[in-house]
Amino acid sequence: MEHPLSQFKYCPKCGSEHFNIHNEKSKQCTNCGFVYYFNPSAATVALILNKENELLVCRRAKDPAKGTLDLPGGFIDMNETAEEGVAREVLEETGLKVKEAIYRFTLPNIYVYSGFPVHTLDMFFLCKVEDTSHIAAMDDAADAFFIPVAEICPEDFGLDSIRKGLGIFLSTL
C-alpha cells in the first residue's frame, strides 16, 4: 500500500503543487512553508451486552465489507466527544439510547471509504443502554441483533479492527 501522504498532491493552505515529503509523518509546502501532519481520524465502536450475556451486532448495509457482521460505531463528528460520538452512532444505527459509555481500549485501523484509505484510531467503549428490547436497524446497518457471547466468531466480522477488538474484548470476559 502506498504511503498515506502520497494521496495529497497540493498544499491545503495555498494550493501549491510544491508539496513534498517532509518526514514519515508530514509534507511541507516549499511555497508557503506550511507543514501538514497526517494523523488518524477518530472513530468509535460500541460493545453492548444484554442481561442474557449476548452482544449486539449489526450487519453492514454498505461497503466496505457489505453483508458481514459489525459492531455499532463510526466516525466522531467535529466538536463531539468520543462518548457523544459513540452514543450518536448507536442511536443512528440501532435506535438504542446509550446511558453510559465506558472506555476500554483503542486500535489503529485503515478504513477504505470510496476507495480512499482512511487511517483511523478506533476507540472501543462498553456501552450501557436504556432498553435493549426495541432494536431497529437503521443508517449503515442492514440488521441489528444479539448473539450469545459464546457463539461469537470474530472471523464473521468484515473489518480487521473489529475482529481484533472482539478478540481483546472476549479475552477479558
Side-chain angles (χ1 to χ4, degrees), residues 6-50:
S6 67
Q7 299 171 93
F8 302 95
K9 305 283 185 213
Y10 302 98
C11 174
K13 185 174 179 186
C14 74
S16 169
E17 56 186 25
H18 302 287
F19 195 48
N20 305 311
I21 298 288
H22 179 63
N23 61 33
E24 71 277 357
K25 294 189 245 177
S26 66
K27 284 187 107 172
Q28 184 171 21
C29 178
T30 55
N31 283 7
C32 73
F34 178 73
V35 177
Y36 174 75
Y37 286 90
F38 190 81
N39 296 305
S41 294
T44 63
V45 180
L47 299 156
I48 300 171
L49 293 168
N50 65 13

Side-chain angles (χ1 to χ4, degrees), residues 44-64:
T44 63
V45 180
L47 299 156
I48 300 171
L49 293 168
N50 65 13
K51 292 177 181 147
E52 290 77 33
N53 202 35
E54 298 171 317
L55 183 68
L56 179 65
V57 300
C58 296
R59 188 162 308 280
R60 293 185 62 80
K62 301 175 182 175
D63 279 325

Side-chain angles (χ1 to χ4, degrees), residues 2-148:
E2 281 186 281
H3 191 283
L5 289 170
S6 67
Q7 299 171 93
F8 302 95
K9 305 283 185 213
Y10 302 98
C11 174
K13 185 174 179 186
C14 74
S16 169
E17 56 186 25
H18 302 287
F19 195 48
N20 305 311
I21 298 288
H22 179 63
N23 61 33
E24 71 277 357
K25 294 189 245 177
S26 66
K27 284 187 107 172
Q28 184 171 21
C29 178
T30 55
N31 283 7
C32 73
F34 178 73
V35 177
Y36 174 75
Y37 286 90
F38 190 81
N39 296 305
S41 294
T44 63
V45 180
L47 299 156
I48 300 171
L49 293 168
N50 65 13
K51 292 177 181 147
E52 290 77 33
N53 202 35
E54 298 171 317
L55 183 68
L56 179 65
V57 300
C58 296
R59 188 162 308 280
R60 293 185 62 80
K62 301 175 182 175
D63 279 325
K66 180 179 178 179
T68 64
L69 295 183
D70 198 1
L71 296 173
F75 289 100
I76 297 172
D77 288 343
M78 297 292 218
N79 300 312
E80 188 175 57
T81 67
E83 292 82 2
E84 290 166 343
V86 74
R88 177 186 48 75
E89 287 287 347
V90 168
L91 183 63
E92 288 175 1
E93 294 177 3
T94 69
L96 298 176
K97 291 186 88 171
V98 172
K99 59 183 181 180
E100 185 178 14
I102 303 161
Y103 170 78
R104 294 297 300 266
F105 55 89
T106 60
L107 287 173
N109 187 32
I110 298 175
Y111 181 82
V112 180
Y113 179 78
S114 297
F116 186 85
V118 178
H119 288 251
T120 66
L121 183 62
D122 297 348
M123 292 175 263
F124 287 73
F125 288 89
L126 181 61
C127 295
K128 295 180 183 177
V129 295
E130 290 181 1
D131 179 15
T132 60
S133 63
H134 297 92
I135 303 167
M138 303 179 294
D139 194 33
D140 295 341
D143 198 4
F145 52 94
F146 283 94
I147 294 180

